[in-house]
Amino acid sequence: NVHPHVHHCVYSAMATPMEFGPISQRQHDGASGVNVLLESIGLDMDTIKKYKWYILGGVGVLTVVTLAVSLPVVLTPKPASPSAGLTTAGPSEAVSTTSVGPTTTTPTPAPAPVPVPQIGDEECLGHEGCPDQYPLPYASGEWPSEYTWTGDLPEGFIWGLGTASYQIEGAYKEDGRGASIWDTFSGADTLGMKGANCSYCCKQAPCPVNPTMGIKGATGNVACDGYHMVDTDITLMKSMGLKHYRFSIAWPRIFPSGRAADGINNKGIDFYNRLIDKLLDAGITPYVTLYHWDLPQGLLSPPEKRAWWARDDATGEPIPEVQEEFLSFVDTCFTAFGDRVKMWFTFNEPWTLTYLASGWGKAPCHPDLSDQSKDPYIAAHNVLNAHAAAVDLYRRKYQKKQGGKIGITLNSDWREPKTSDPKDVAAALRGMAFALGWFGDPIFGGKGDYPPSMRRFYGDRLPRFTKEQRQLINGSADFFALNHYGSSRSSYSE
């Protein structure tokens, strides 16, 4: 049952045979309806580094699937195989001819193959150097109309459900919780709440709804009322046979203003302790997301406080304005809950909380932070560095004694080339690199940096990591986790 005001009801899960992966979770996106959330966990870093980004979609035409594929971590496509049904074009095709004489036949040596550039090379936007291979497993135009999956799930396969704090808890004004940017965004009455005195916060009820809000009137004020229904929800989970449950911790419920110096809210700690203990008593393993978009409103008040979007106005370089406060929050969570929580996710969908939140319908969508030519890249840079710092903190201070794992949940749709035209293939590959690679390459790519194709394409829009930041972010995940919602066809456009 999905409450009209919710975005992640724990008891609204259905699974089809095609929804498979190490963790499959039912999730509702704030403005786009209920989706299936697929997260792959449990791959170690040595394995991850062997795999290639865009081939994740080799089976991306299956609606929901997460896997890693056996290719090296370079973005150059493999040579085409005759049995793969791939198309080849022009110079990259090996050609031989035969001269016929009375007694001899001499084949002409094939020309040296033309190197295929990295996806997104400038040449790929024109006429030369585009990839000459259509991605596996189907040739262009030969996609199946239906899919059949048979066989057994692998040993150790895990089914689970996932939620987010703002989208299920409700109790938005109770027990000391402070305002979040989603309260302001949705038009909740935040008058008198801690942190709700920002530059654009509500000054008089009724409070305005952000114009980019997809469903006007939907708030997290009550949602699934999860704050008051822990016992009922866990009883329902247990009755379903659920063994794995992912939820997020609301930062403003732990630090109402967002600032550790203003004091911790012990009632928030008590709530999550109770939830975790009851899950374990029911035989359900908890998985915890530390940031699922509900930034404390007290940390965002443009232009003075810009949180993830903070930058030096003179140089344009990102500033880690809220990173230390985020580290104080996650440090508190590791201390309070880490003896029982063994799977941590720093951020859920950084692409969503930076790109879509910069003017495309996710909080905050503040007009001063919605310049698509720069704001998403500033925010993404700050979030990636905060992720790396949080992972470093956990590994240094907690991992050995607590025995847990930590990573980040990325999200990406699959982009299938619309035709076998090399420019369409290049467009699809760029689409993958500029979404999944944007956040994945710095962590899993081996160099601690954005995809080279993005750097060539966007130039100075992409901030630079320092040497120390690259070292910290490279390999900053103990597993690979992906949310996948759908696929689409991509084509080149002038």
Side-chain angles (χ1 to χ4, degrees), residues 22-46:
I23 281 190
S24 182
Q25 300 179 327
R26 184 91 171 169
Q27 189 164 292
H28 183 291
D29 188 312
S32 61
V34 178
N35 293 303
V36 175
L37 170 68
L38 182 72
E39 299 168 343
S40 172
I41 63 172
L43 294 179
D44 58 48
M45 281 304 305
D46 290 339

Side-chain angles (χ1 to χ4, degrees), residues 154-371:
E155 185 177 354
F157 182 88
I158 293 172
W159 286 109
L161 299 179
T163 65
S165 52
Y166 178 74
Q167 297 167 321
I168 69 158
E169 286 180 5
Y172 86 113
K173 275 189 173 182
E174 293 184 40
D175 289 344
R177 179 187 177 276
S180 82
I181 60 173
W182 273 88
D183 295 316
T184 303
F185 181 75
S186 66
D189 184 351
T190 56
L191 296 176
M193 295 180 69
K194 291 183 179 179
N197 57 344
C198 71
S199 58
Y200 72 104
C201 287
C202 179
K203 303 299 188 289
Q204 181 178 351
C207 297
V209 178
N210 188 289
T212 68
M213 178 80 179
I215 305 174
K216 304 297 191 294
T219 72
N221 295 3
V222 178
C224 292
D225 203 20
Y227 190 79
H228 299 117
M229 298 182 67
V230 171
D231 292 339
T232 301
D233 285 345
I234 293 178
T235 298
L236 288 168
M237 293 182 206
K238 190 173 181 179
S239 71
M240 297 168 60
L242 186 69
K243 297 296 182 183
H244 304 270
Y245 174 54
R246 180 187 172 205
F247 63 93
S248 73
I249 294 175
W251 186 350
R253 203 176 285 284
I254 304 299
F255 291 107
S257 70
R259 299 179 66 249
D262 293 338
I264 192 170
N265 178 27
N266 287 315
K267 289 185 177 181
I269 297 290
D270 292 343
F271 168 71
Y272 292 111
N273 269 326
R274 179 169 172 260
L275 173 61
I276 292 168
D277 287 343
K278 286 187 172 292
L279 286 169
L280 292 171
D281 289 344
I284 300 170
T285 301
Y287 298 72
V288 172
T289 301
L290 292 161
Y291 187 91
H292 199 134
W293 313 346
D294 46 356
L295 179 77
Q297 185 64 72
L299 298 178
L300 185 68
S301 182
E304 292 80 12
K305 301 177 184 178
R306 289 180 285 191
W308 306 123
W309 291 264
R311 84 292 307 269
D312 183 318
D313 288 327
T315 65
E317 290 299 310
I319 297 174
E321 182 179 277
V322 295
Q323 181 167 305
E324 288 306 312
E325 296 297 351
F326 179 67
L327 291 178
S328 294
F329 164 62
V330 301
D331 194 12
T332 299
C333 292
F334 296 148
T335 299
F337 315 123
D339 58 329
R340 289 151 293 159
V341 174
K342 305 304 176 185
M343 291 297 299
W344 298 96
F345 304 82
T346 55
F347 290 87
N348 182 74
E349 298 187 9
W351 181 88
T352 303
L353 74 92
T354 58
Y355 183 78
L356 294 185
S358 298
W360 291 99
K362 302 295 183 186
C365 279
H366 188 283
D368 292 349
L369 308 175
S370 295
D371 183 342

